[in-house]
Amino acid sequence: MEASVWEGVGGWQQLQGDIHGLGWSVEALDFSAAESVNWAKSFHPDCLEICVNFAGHGLVRAGERSLVFRPGFFGFYAQHEQGLEATRSSGEANRFLTFEWSRSRLAREVEGLEDTLRAEVRKWLAGRSSDPLVGGVRPLPEYWGHAWSHWVSPDVPGRARFLWFWGRALELAGALLFAEAPNKGQARRRWNNARRRVERAQEYLREHLAEPLCLQSLAREVGCSPFYLSRIFSEQTGETLPGYLRRLRMEKAAELLRAGGHNVTEAAMAVGYSSLSHFSKAFCRVMGCCPCVYPYPARLAR
């Protein structure tokens, strides 16, 4: 059905699954249209759909309840027999993924967890509502990655992509369809605040790559204490601040060496090293070979 709906604008691709045979499906849409597109024509009755929006704007509406999908947001909705209105914007690129669940397959996956579902999802799943379901939207977490290619063509072997998409379908359902306990909501806000500080610290370090690391200055920049910043940075990235900066510098130095416009000394100075020996040790530690033979470490065997 989807292929015929999107035939006029193109850009439809079945990535994984089969809504009729398996009860779940993942599809990719990548198109531009001169006029708005009736998105609702692609919805299956008695199926819940999660949209991950990368570009363009989408609107889903039922009566007074509506969702607006902006770039970088994801959310859910469910058609019953009819009643959902949905459009995709005109005059701009539209790029989004849909993860679709049949009612019976989703019920099987959440069996035993029904009490923890959002009330409206639980009611829809049990078939106690004849109305379409209009859920909510949330920003796509940074740690999931926002690169379109990462989602459409994951870097996993071909046969393993089934598992990759299946895992993502479960992860998205888990993130959207379950209710949060009050204490979990508070914990999530703390986590989001910490994440924003870590992302700002990472951005600052990228912008000041060649400058010495001053923890006090960086902490003032992101609005917290040096101790707290060090702790949350390690918790959320798995790296210490000095280790993260060293890796950034070595990756940039490696990029300069690959391009061929810098020798080792020039690359070292470009990323903030005045000592060639310190630079070489750091480069070997991060890149696994001496900078003088990079990017051809096989020279060491000669």
Side-chain angles (χ1 to χ4, degrees):
M1 183 180 77
E2 284 81 3
S4 61
V5 171
W6 301 108
E7 191 174 30
V9 295
W12 174 84
Q13 182 183 2
Q14 177 83 37
L15 296 178
Q16 202 57 254
D18 176 2
I19 193 64
H20 301 292
L22 297 175
W24 70 282
S25 174
V26 185
E27 298 158 12
L29 283 304
D30 186 3
F31 65 88
S32 296
E35 299 180 356
S36 62
V37 177
N38 185 352
W39 185 16
K41 286 184 178 181
S42 69
F43 300 163
H44 290 97
D46 286 328
C47 289
L48 183 145
E49 189 167 286
I50 296 173
C51 172
V52 183
N53 201 54
F54 293 87
H57 292 75
L59 173 67
V60 176
R61 179 172 54 209
E64 297 181 357
R65 180 88 170 126
S66 63
L67 301 177
V68 176
F69 287 90
R70 304 194 303 274
F73 281 72
F74 70 120
F76 71 97
Y77 42 87
Q79 182 75 285
H80 182 59
E81 293 180 358
Q82 54 184 311
L84 273 185
E85 302 174 38
T87 56
R88 295 298 305 192
S89 54
S90 61
E92 62 178 347
N94 282 273
R95 182 175 281 179
F96 59 99
L97 296 176
T98 59
F99 291 74
E100 192 168 13
W101 294 91
S102 70
R103 190 196 300 262
S104 59
R105 182 58 189 261
L106 186 58
R108 191 194 320 168
E109 295 304 323
V110 301
E111 185 176 1
L113 302 173
E114 293 86 353
D115 289 346
T116 61
L117 289 168
R118 294 171 58 142
E120 67 271 28
V121 176
R122 186 167 62 248
K123 184 178 178 182
W124 176 84
L125 201 59
R128 297 197 302 267
S129 174
S130 59
D131 297 325
L133 173 63
V134 179
V137 293
R138 283 176 46 190
L140 193 65
E142 289 292 337
Y143 67 89
W144 279 354
H146 288 195
W148 173 252
S149 59
H150 167 72
W151 287 72
V152 176
S153 301
D155 188 19
V156 294
R159 291 186 177 181
R161 290 190 176 186
F162 179 92
L163 294 176
W164 190 92
F165 281 110
W166 171 241
R168 274 295 163 101
L170 290 172
E171 189 174 18
L172 288 164
L176 285 174
L177 306 184
F178 290 83
E180 288 185 343
N183 60 332
K184 286 190 175 181
Q186 185 177 3
R188 177 178 291 278
R189 285 192 293 273
R190 286 198 300 267
W191 190 93
N192 286 337
N193 288 336
R195 185 69 191 175
R196 282 192 289 271
R197 286 192 167 101
V198 168
E199 289 170 354
R200 175 59 190 134
Q202 290 175 316
E203 179 184 4
Y204 183 89
L205 291 175
R206 287 193 298 268
E207 293 173 351
H208 301 81
L209 191 65
E211 298 178 10
L213 174 61
C214 177
L215 184 55
Q216 288 75 15
S217 297
L218 182 59
R220 283 196 300 271
E221 180 70 26
V222 302
C224 64
S225 72
F227 174 80
Y228 180 68
L229 177 59
S230 295
R231 179 167 65 82
I232 63 174
F233 194 94
S234 297
E235 287 175 352
Q236 298 209 14
T237 68
E239 294 181 284
T240 64
L241 278 161
Y244 176 78
L245 180 58
R246 179 172 55 244
R247 180 172 61 80
L248 283 185
R249 287 173 167 175
M250 295 308 106
E251 290 174 351
K252 180 61 177 180
E255 179 185 327
L256 295 174
L257 293 172
R258 284 197 306 271
H262 292 70
N263 60 32
V264 173
T265 301
E266 291 168 340
M269 295 181 65
V271 296
Y273 279 78
S274 57
S275 168
L276 193 56
S277 63
H278 289 167
F279 171 74
S280 296
K281 289 178 183 178
F283 194 93
C284 287
R285 182 175 177 181
V286 174
M287 305 305 297
C289 69
C290 181
C292 63
V293 296
Y294 186 85
Y296 305 110
R299 294 175 186 167
L300 289 172
R302 299 193 184 102

